[in-house]
Amino acid sequence: MALPLLPGNSFNKNVLSFDAYFDEEVPDKNQELYRIRHCKIYFYLEDDTIQVVEPQVKNSGIPQGTILRRHRVPLPPPNEDQFYTVDNFNIDTDLIFYGRRYRIIDCDQFTKNFLRKMGVRLNCPVKCPDDPYTKERQKLIDSMKPLRPYERFDTLQQFLEHDGHVLRFYGVWDDTESMFGDVREVVLHYFLADDTIEIKEVIPLNSGRDAVPLFLNRKKLPKYGPIGLYQPGTITDRTVLNVFGGLVGNKGRYILDNRKTGAVHQEFYKDCDLSIGSVINVWGRKIVLCDCDEFTKEYYRTKYGVKDFTPIPYKAPPPPKVERKFPPYHGFGSEEDSLCSCTGLLPKPPQKDFKKFMEKDRQGLESNLLRFLAQFITTDPIDKDRKFIVSYYLSDDTIQVFEPPQRNTGIIGGKFLERGRVKKPGQELYKAELSEYYTAKDLYVGAKVCFHGHVFLLVDADEYAFNYMEKHANEFPMANICVILDKLKAIGEPRSREIKQIFAAADPQHTTTIDYDEFRNLLLNISDRNLSEHEIMTLGRYYSLRDKNEMDTTYLLAVAQEQLKKNSFENFGQLLAVLVYNDRSKCGLLASDKCRTICKSFRLPVADDLLRAILAACEDCKEQVNYKKLVDGLNWRDHPIPVFQTILMPLQYEDEWRGEPPTLPVKKVQYLPLMVDLFVAWG
């Protein structure tokens, strides 16, 4: 009875396998009258279907494979209305499928166990009868002997184990004995997959040799010298023997020599023949192996136990480097332009540092411009009071000097020195080396510089210059607080107690702070004036009590006023009215994003990043902005902020310059943290 194919059927994918055969008549052939054909009968328990498959037999000449496709097979007549079930199967029984009789001779173990569980008594397996034609054919094949037994060399295992494994040796071929010969460097590759060798030549630049692909193509390299070269035909796979010669009708008879008497055996280079220091003969060229790579060393260390891999020096020492001397500068054009005409046949203009220019060019609020206040070092009473602004551009290391106009001096102000690179004084004019120019490290407060014969003393700098030097303290030692403290420690170490008493006496109220002027005078006395003015300013700024937030806000508003003034924006009343209209609670505060949106709607000629910075500086903890205070700060007409108070805050522009110490936005200095940093290690 067929079992239904259900998801929970326990017979799903269970198949009974039987070994069977059937005999087939062969008419009109004397060699065989019938043929025994083996097959497999599969019975699928899930739906009682049957499949008959005949295994493929090589050179049988019969279409083989599936004889009966899977389906339910009916019983032979007179029971053709019924189908085969598992009850019809047993060993040593006959089954008739569509008129062809199949004899079951055996089954697999699963089928035996299944039939026994069903209560079927299995018959003993029977032997399959022999096919007479196949038996006779096998006897004929066994009696045949090949006339030409070929030798077979199985190299598949070697290929699979060492595919992609290559030994690399570095060697030289000494060809100095021949005319115009020299020592040539080569690289030898030994392929472990098939024992072949490939050699490449290392051709140096400008050697005059043709860049050939390979010195030796990949092949097996024979082991013999130039005298023992074999003639063509000497080395063959088979040896031919002349049996009769030319005696019988001038016709000879030749057979193959299976014993290979007189055969020439040729030896080839193997991996065991290669080592550092060995000499190999490459078709008459002796190559000395001098070194190898790490993979080759590990291979020989593992397989042959070699431990000494001392390389042989084979490279010639490099020739002495000839010093390249350039002619001296002749005075025409710039030094860089004249030098470019000596470095190549085609003169090219000097290349500027484009990367430095892109990094140090003006970007938003970052001007990358250092400005200093300078005065003449002279005894002339007129020139002594003149003031100059020295601007140093970090993008191209150029310097510009500008003299602000001063009333009642009799000197017309303006541009004093055109922007350009300035040479340091005391250098020879006509020389081969390039001249030294002033760099950013040479400019600091207290430095003496000479620009084309004019000696200046840098007495002050703007806030941006101080901030930039302190942010890049590794480039400016005068603004490096760590370097200054180490210098001050070395000076004040033997006088630590005295220095503490001096600072304590300067603060009788014990406020731990003193005025900057007094702080400056104390440091000058303690260091015996070994500290520069810029170093003292750096200490004062580092230990100061100034309100940085207020100063930054004032600086941002001053920059914004400059932009509004240049664009002639004066519509502050209407801007304030719109802000008041949007203040529904009438508390005088608006959200920062709301204020920014309103300012953008008025097309306020202020950069977006600057506007964001101003709003961030003016907002409180709840991100609310006092819009009336904001508008008053932007109103350059009614509430102007002096330019030199912000952009050049430390600079002084009084009519009379009396040499007072420069003023900083630092009023009070905390000396107690300075004492701790200096003398905490000494107690």
Side-chain angles (χ1 to χ4, degrees), residues 104-117:
I104 299 177
I105 59 176
D106 201 356
C107 62
D108 60 359
Q109 191 62 38
F110 171 78
T111 305
K112 293 179 181 179
N113 296 336
F114 183 82
L115 293 177
R116 288 194 184 101
K117 291 181 180 179

Side-chain angles (χ1 to χ4, degrees), residues 564 569 572 575 598-607 611 634:
L564 294 172
F569 182 85
F572 298 104
L575 176 61
I598 295 174
C599 292
K600 283 296 183 182
S601 64
F602 268 80
R603 295 183 179 179
L604 202 68
V606 178
L611 181 60
L634 295 175

Side-chain angles (χ1 to χ4, degrees), residues 71-92:
H71 67 286
R72 297 184 68 185
V73 180
L75 294 173
N79 300 321
E80 61 269 10
D81 56 342
Q82 300 179 14
F83 297 92
Y84 278 99
T85 63
V86 71
D87 299 330
N88 302 111
F89 287 84
N90 200 342
I91 300 175
D92 196 13

Side-chain angles (χ1 to χ4, degrees), residues 114 250 274 386 414 627 652:
F114 183 82
N250 294 329
L274 305 180
R386 297 173 65 181
Y627 54 84
Q652 296 182 352

Side-chain angles (χ1 to χ4, degrees), residues 10-159:
S10 60
F11 295 110
N12 188 17
K13 297 183 180 180
N14 290 338
V15 184
L16 303 183
S17 177
F18 298 91
D19 296 331
Y21 73 91
F22 65 93
D23 54 353
E24 184 181 27
E25 294 183 0
V26 182
D28 302 332
K29 194 172 184 181
N30 298 329
Q31 288 83 359
E32 53 179 342
L33 301 178
Y34 64 94
R35 183 174 299 161
I36 302 298
R37 299 177 63 176
H38 300 269
C39 61
K40 286 276 189 179
I41 300 177
Y42 298 104
F43 183 84
Y44 295 86
L45 295 172
E46 58 186 6
D47 54 0
D48 288 352
T49 55
I50 298 175
Q51 183 184 12
V52 180
V53 178
E54 182 181 8
Q56 296 284 345
V57 179
K58 187 177 181 181
N59 297 328
S60 64
I62 303 174
Q64 296 171 330
T66 301
I67 298 176
L68 192 66
R69 290 183 295 178
R70 178 181 173 181
H71 67 286
R72 297 184 68 185
V73 180
L75 294 173
N79 300 321
E80 61 269 10
D81 56 342
Q82 300 179 14
F83 297 92
Y84 278 99
T85 63
V86 71
D87 299 330
N88 302 111
F89 287 84
N90 200 342
I91 300 175
D92 196 13
T93 58
D94 293 338
L95 301 177
I96 300 176
F97 298 155
Y98 300 107
R100 177 175 288 177
R101 184 179 299 274
Y102 295 88
R103 183 74 174 179
I104 299 177
I105 59 176
D106 201 356
C107 62
D108 60 359
Q109 191 62 38
F110 171 78
T111 305
K112 293 179 181 179
N113 296 336
F114 183 82
L115 293 177
R116 288 194 184 101
K117 291 181 180 179
M118 290 185 62
V120 178
R121 186 174 181 179
L122 291 176
N123 300 327
C124 296
V126 297
K127 185 179 179 182
C128 180
D130 296 332
D131 185 15
Y133 178 77
T134 305
K135 190 175 181 180
E136 293 296 330
R137 183 68 179 172
Q138 187 64 35
K139 290 182 180 179
L140 181 62
I141 293 175
D142 294 340
S143 63
M144 293 177 60
K145 293 183 179 180
L147 297 178
R148 298 182 181 182
Y150 293 100
E151 293 180 335
R152 183 179 179 183
F153 300 95
D154 188 7
T155 59
L156 180 60
Q157 182 179 0
Q158 179 183 359
F159 173 78

